[in-house]
Amino acid sequence: MIKAIDYLGKLRATAATQILVQKLFMRDVPVPVQQRILVSLGRMGDVRAATPIGEYLGRDTDPETKGTAIFALGEIGDQASIPKLQTIQTDATDPHMQRLAGEAVAKINRRLSPSTVAVQIPALEDENKPPTAKR
């Protein structure tokens, strides 16, 4: 089952998003499988998974799984996840969770901001002036 979940993430098979989200919330799913589901959802990048993952963060889960969920939200890049991540960043008692949430917010913000690459456009010569001679 884990190989199939990993493969869906690798393929970015967003058609499986709903099924994986449902599986994530099932009580009988072992923690390692939940973690693989979160990783695959992050790889898929389907924004439909962001809200359920945010809700999942509200559950009482182990720190490793919680960290994986935070990372997945950063990978998905949904702007709507930022408030939840900022709350974790400021309210979490675990510095590792705070750092992961901060990194996820930064990753989302980088995707949202316009390119910072400067493009140099050569100045155009005035059409009314004759071209100047180059020395």
Side-chain angles (χ1 to χ4, degrees), residues 63-64 66 88-89 91-101:
E64 187 176 336
K66 198 167 276 216
I88 294 168
Q89 189 178 8
D91 295 350
T93 57
D94 183 348
H96 181 66
M97 291 301 138
Q98 292 174 335
R99 183 182 58 77
L100 285 173

Side-chain angles (χ1 to χ4, degrees), residues 36-47:
R36 295 310 263 268
I37 289 170
L38 289 164
V39 169
S40 289
L41 289 169
R43 283 184 181 161
M44 287 177 192
D46 189 344
V47 295

Side-chain angles (χ1 to χ4, degrees), residues 74 82 102-116:
I82 291 176
E103 290 172 358
V105 169
K107 187 182 288 188
I108 293 168
N109 284 331
R110 276 194 305 272
R111 288 184 182 167
L112 296 175
S113 67
S115 176
T116 57

Side-chain angles (χ1 to χ4, degrees), residues 76-87:
I76 291 169
D78 184 17
Q79 184 177 1
S81 300
I82 291 176
K84 179 75 170 180
L85 292 167
Q86 288 174 329
T87 299

Side-chain angles (χ1 to χ4, degrees), residues 43-65:
R43 283 184 181 161
M44 287 177 192
D46 189 344
V47 295
R48 295 176 298 167
T51 299
I53 292 172
E55 292 170 7
Y56 181 82
L57 280 169
R59 288 182 151 200
D60 186 25
T61 60
D62 66 283
E64 187 176 336
T65 305

Side-chain angles (χ1 to χ4, degrees), residues 121-125:
I121 300 175
L124 298 175
E125 299 270 339

Side-chain angles (χ1 to χ4, degrees), residues 8-9 12-22 41 44 46 48:
L8 289 170
R12 298 183 187 270
T14 57
T17 298
Q18 283 302 110
I19 295 166
L20 290 176
V21 166
Q22 288 173 357
L41 289 169
M44 287 177 192
D46 189 344
R48 295 176 298 167

